[in-house]
Amino acid sequence: MDAVRVALLREVLAGTEWPAAARRFAGALRSSVVPHGGGLLLVGTAAYEPWHLAAHLVDESTWSGLPELTPTLVRHRVEPGDPAHLAVGLGRIEAAGRGETLFLVAPERPGDGLLERVHDARRAGATVLSLDNGDPEVRGLAHETLTVTCRDDVDLDTVQHLVSAAAGENSVPAPRGRHRFRDRLSRLADQLTAPPPARW
């Protein structure tokens, strides 16, 4: 979804909690991956694979110049011959630890096997974020949550668009110190001379 469509979506949702909630959640996502140089693992449930969100985060990562936002999509079923970026199985969660972020997208309650893996990753030091349906066990495992239920005025796909767009647009705090003005001037020059992102 391009910037114009996201802006229209935010305009439609103005007056609701969703634009601000998505920005808050996206800020938590950025603050957990940027200082560690990445380490973002994205996983869904056995019935829901968040490949669409993965693609949007890759796009936002490219457009914002933040490679840390590029996720590793962790899949429940990996088939022989799958390309490398689609061949990461649930064992990767078992190896997650300090400095890594596990982003769980759970429109329904995950199976116990996945919840155990998420719990183990959290105990090993990984930061856990969840975009969920309000399941108390999922929310209990996550450091930061954003809940979308069937009673809300938006659906999960809409919220994923808001989150991914906000993750790419939030600015990184300017460094403190004597080079602050020069750094800001340099960033401004980079922004003014950068080519516009490709639109498909």
Side-chain angles (χ1 to χ4, degrees):
M1 183 175 284
D2 62 36
V4 172
R5 288 188 179 132
V6 170
L8 289 173
L9 180 58
R10 287 179 178 149
E11 188 175 322
V12 168
L13 294 172
T16 72
E17 66 179 303
W18 295 108
R23 282 194 170 107
R24 174 193 54 78
F25 187 82
L29 173 62
R30 280 179 66 124
S31 67
S32 69
V33 298
V34 171
H36 297 289
L40 176 58
L41 305 175
L42 179 63
V43 66
T45 63
Y48 183 85
E49 189 168 86
W51 61 267
H52 194 66
L53 177 58
H56 281 296
L57 286 171
V58 169
D59 288 345
E60 293 297 335
S61 167
T62 301
W63 295 336
S64 66
L66 290 171
E68 301 89 351
L69 289 175
T70 300
T72 297
L73 180 61
V74 179
R75 305 180 68 205
H76 288 257
R77 290 172 300 280
V78 176
E79 301 294 334
D82 281 345
H85 70 287
L86 296 177
V88 179
L90 291 176
R92 179 62 182 88
I93 296 175
E94 295 168 11
R98 190 165 308 283
E100 293 183 291
T101 299
L102 179 58
F103 185 172
L104 171 62
V105 182
E108 70 277 336
R109 186 182 188 282
D112 289 339
L114 177 57
L115 287 174
E116 288 171 15
R117 286 180 168 99
V118 172
H119 180 261
D120 291 345
R122 179 177 169 134
R123 279 193 1 203
T127 300
V128 179
L129 306 176
S130 73
L131 180 54
D132 57 66
N133 70 343
D135 181 273
E137 196 164 356
V138 172
R139 293 176 61 82
L141 288 174
H143 294 92
E144 190 74 35
T145 65
L146 184 55
T147 297
V148 183
T149 71
C150 59
R151 297 179 301 279
D152 289 315
D153 50 359
V154 295
D155 61 15
L156 187 72
D157 286 340
T158 299
V159 174
Q160 289 180 67
H161 285 299
L162 292 173
V163 167
S164 60
E169 74 184 4
N170 295 337
S171 61
V172 177
R176 303 279 177 197
R178 54 186 271 237
H179 298 296
R180 186 172 178 201
F181 175 74
R182 186 180 299 163
D183 291 338
R184 287 190 348 230
L185 189 59
S186 175
R187 279 197 309 276
L188 177 61
D190 288 343
Q191 289 172 354
L192 292 174
T193 58
R199 300 292 184 213
W200 303 102

